[in-house]
Structures are given as structure tokens and as C-alpha cells.
Amino acid sequence: MIIDLPGTTTRAINKRLVKARDEGGAVALGRVLTLIIDAAGHDPEESIAAANQASREHPCRIIVLLDQPGDAPASLDAQIRLGGDAGASEVILLRAAGALCRHADTLVIPLLLPDAPIVVWWPYEVPENPAEHPVGKMAQRRITDSVSSAVPSDALRHLASVYSDGDSDLAWTRTTLWRGLIAATLDQPPYEEVQRALVVGESTHPSVDLMAAWLAEALRCPVDVERVAGAPAITQVRLERKSGPIVLDRPDGKTAALSQPGQPEHRIALPIRQLRECLSEELRRLDPDEVYGEVLRKGLLRIES
């Protein structure tokens, strides 16, 4: 069900939600958090689709903030999506114009679920300081996506300079499976020191930098980065040890080959992670990701050229 509310107020939106609940059942019960998507002037549909998929694991109220282009007078248009149009959540789109664009927090506060955690997601450009953003100040977790920024490497280093507990970035989440496989491999004998590491991947993809930074911070060894234009994200991680190299190679973005001395080659399904998978993972934890913080603030410095 889709309900359009042009020229409305947050009070009218709440009233319409209550009416929809009375007409169609308790659609707002059982929500575990409020997810705020700040899409600014971008098309929000891809982000909403990912959030709807994630809501099947994390039922939530989704509030989408949109800006109307141009110098229009202050006004608010809204749309409510329920049922099949909202996954296991309820979606409220707020399209603000004029002075209201500068007061997103006042638009959001009346629509927050009571006594529920708040997560803010910026699916496009990274804000100046997520923790100091008017909406970010209200949230337990603040998720950015430097992959979607105009200059991902600059966005990543900017995030490092303003990091606060509770910040996270989906470029980090996209490395989870790689980090898990590498850690599991190093937990097996022989327990030798890694002398040097190499990360190969797409030339501008921030996950390449974060993977290299994690290795540098965790292993305290030199880490080289080889950038390949047009590659499917991370394509290879190579760890040099005295007995021979460990190589995790994924040239096609789908299946990886793990090779190490004295063992047969293993083939592992390692597809590029979809947006909905990464968002679902981030919503599983509401405490600060301390490892991400260390990698962002310290590990990146170890791979600076």
C-alpha cells in the first residue's frame, strides 16, 4: 500500500500511520530499530530496496530524507509505504523543500519509534562529520558508503579524520568475507610470521585500501597495493611467509582459489557482496566497531605512500 501526503506535516503523517494501523492491523509492532536513510537529492529507490530486504532480518521503521531541488518555499511532501511495498518494515519518505531541508532532525524526531535504537545511513556522499550531523547526533550507529562518493579515496581519509565510535562504512563491510578467510587460514599451522602482503584490486575501490590497512595493522608487516582499473573490487590477497605464499585469488568476482604450501588448491564461492547483504550485516550490531576504528585511524597510515 502506498499513501501520498502532499503539503503535509509530521503530525498528519503520524495520524495517517495510526489510521493505517487500525485499518490493516498492527503494522508498527515488533520493530527493533529506526533506520534513517539520508538520500539528499539522489534517487532513493535502490537504497529503499536494500533496506526492505534487510528489514526481513531486522524489522524496522525506515525514514527516507529527500531534498527538493531549487529555491522552493518551505514545504513537506510525504509518502507512506506499507505491506508488500515495504518488505517487513514501514517506509516513510519525507521530501523537504526550502528552509526545512536544513532542519532534518526536527522532521525526523516526531516519527522515531519510542525506545528503539536509531541507525542513520548515508548511501551516497559522505557528510562532513557523521557524528556531528543533525541526524547523526541522534543515532547509535552511523553508516556511510564511501564507494558511492565522487572520490572514494578522499572520502575514506576524510572519515578517518573525523571518526567517532559508532561510525562505520560499507566499504569495510564488503571486506568481511575476505578477512574471515584470511584469518581462518592464518589460524592453521605452520604458525609463521607474515613477512609481506599484497592486495590487488580496483584502482579506486576503498575496500582495497581498507583490506590493506587491516593487514598492515593486524600483521605489522609491509603491505603493497596493486591497483587495476576496472577490476571487480578486491581480486587477490597474497601473504608471503618463509614456507611459501598464501594466495587468495578471485579474478572474476565470483569464485576464489585459495592456495598455500603443502595443500591442494581450494575453490571457494566468494561473490561480490550485494548492498542488502552489507546493510543487513551492519544492522546486526549497534555497538561500536572497534576494529574498523583502529584500521581507519591507524591502519590507513601504515599503507600511505
Side-chain angles (χ1 to χ4, degrees):
M1 176 178 17
I2 296 179
I3 304 166
D4 290 312
L5 300 171
T8 190
T9 64
T10 53
R11 180 173 180 174
I13 296 169
N14 264 321
K15 279 184 158 183
R16 192 63 185 86
L17 279 169
V18 171
K19 183 179 179 182
R21 188 180 312 142
D22 291 339
E23 293 173 348
V27 297
L29 299 182
R31 307 303 187 217
V32 298
L33 58 88
T34 300
L35 173 62
I36 303 171
I37 304 175
D38 190 348
H42 297 271
D43 183 349
E45 294 304 328
E46 182 182 8
S47 304
I48 293 173
N52 283 344
Q53 290 291 326
S55 74
R56 302 184 187 282
E57 181 179 343
H58 313 280
C60 58
R61 172 173 288 180
I62 300 170
I63 302 174
V64 185
L65 298 174
L66 300 165
D67 296 341
Q68 292 193 35
D71 298 323
S75 65
L76 176 65
D77 296 338
Q79 183 182 86
I80 300 172
R81 300 182 186 180
L82 302 169
D85 296 294
S89 63
E90 53 191 6
V91 181
I92 305 168
L93 282 78
L94 303 177
R95 191 178 296 276
L100 288 181
C101 293
R102 299 188 293 273
H103 302 284
D105 53 336
T106 62
L107 296 177
V108 166
I109 288 173
L111 301 172
L112 297 174
L113 292 175
D115 302 319
I118 302 167
V119 179
V120 182
W121 174 30
W122 291 272
Y124 296 101
E125 291 298 328
V126 170
E128 187 67 26
N129 187 333
E132 293 300 320
H133 187 280
V135 178
K137 286 181 178 180
M138 301 186 294
Q140 283 76 28
R141 288 296 303 272
R142 298 167 294 275
I143 306 169
T144 52
D145 194 354
S146 55
V147 172
S148 300
S149 298
V151 185
S153 58
D154 290 351
L156 197 62
R157 279 151 183 81
H158 175 71
L159 288 171
S161 70
V162 297
Y163 174 80
S164 293
D165 287 347
D167 292 355
S168 190
D169 191 87
L170 295 185
W172 171 249
T173 320
R174 291 181 177 96
T175 69
T176 297
L177 300 181
W178 285 85
R179 289 183 281 119
L181 287 169
I182 292 296
T185 302
L186 291 176
D187 280 342
Q188 301 173 16
Y191 305 105
E192 297 177 326
E193 179 181 351
V194 176
Q195 300 166 332
R196 195 171 196 90
L198 170 69
V199 179
V200 182
E202 208 279 326
S203 55
T204 63
H205 205 296
S207 294
V208 175
D209 297 273
L210 287 172
M211 187 70 194
W214 175 70
L215 290 171
E217 180 68 14
L219 301 178
R220 302 301 173 98
C221 69
V223 180
D224 299 316
V225 177
E226 183 179 324
R227 304 183 187 276
V228 181
I234 301 172
T235 58
Q236 186 185 107
V237 172
R238 183 182 184 93
L239 307 178
E240 298 289 349
R241 299 195 298 185
K242 185 177 180 181
S243 61
I246 296 173
V247 181
L248 183 60
D249 189 31
R250 185 190 65 179
D252 61 358
K254 297 178 182 178
T255 305
L258 175 63
S259 60
Q260 49 192 320
Q263 295 191 27
E265 182 179 275
H266 298 283
R267 306 290 292 182
I268 304 166
L270 190 60
I272 293 177
R273 302 190 79 189
Q274 300 299 308
L275 184 59
R276 64 180 182 274
E277 297 176 84
C278 296
L279 183 60
S280 290
E281 180 181 326
E282 283 297 326
L283 296 180
R284 285 181 199 131
R285 60 178 303 166
L286 297 175
D287 58 315
D289 189 336
E290 297 176 356
V291 176
Y292 168 72
E294 291 292 305
V295 168
L296 192 67
R297 290 182 290 115
K298 299 177 182 180
L300 281 177
L301 295 176
R302 295 180 179 274
I303 64 167
E304 294 288 339
S305 55

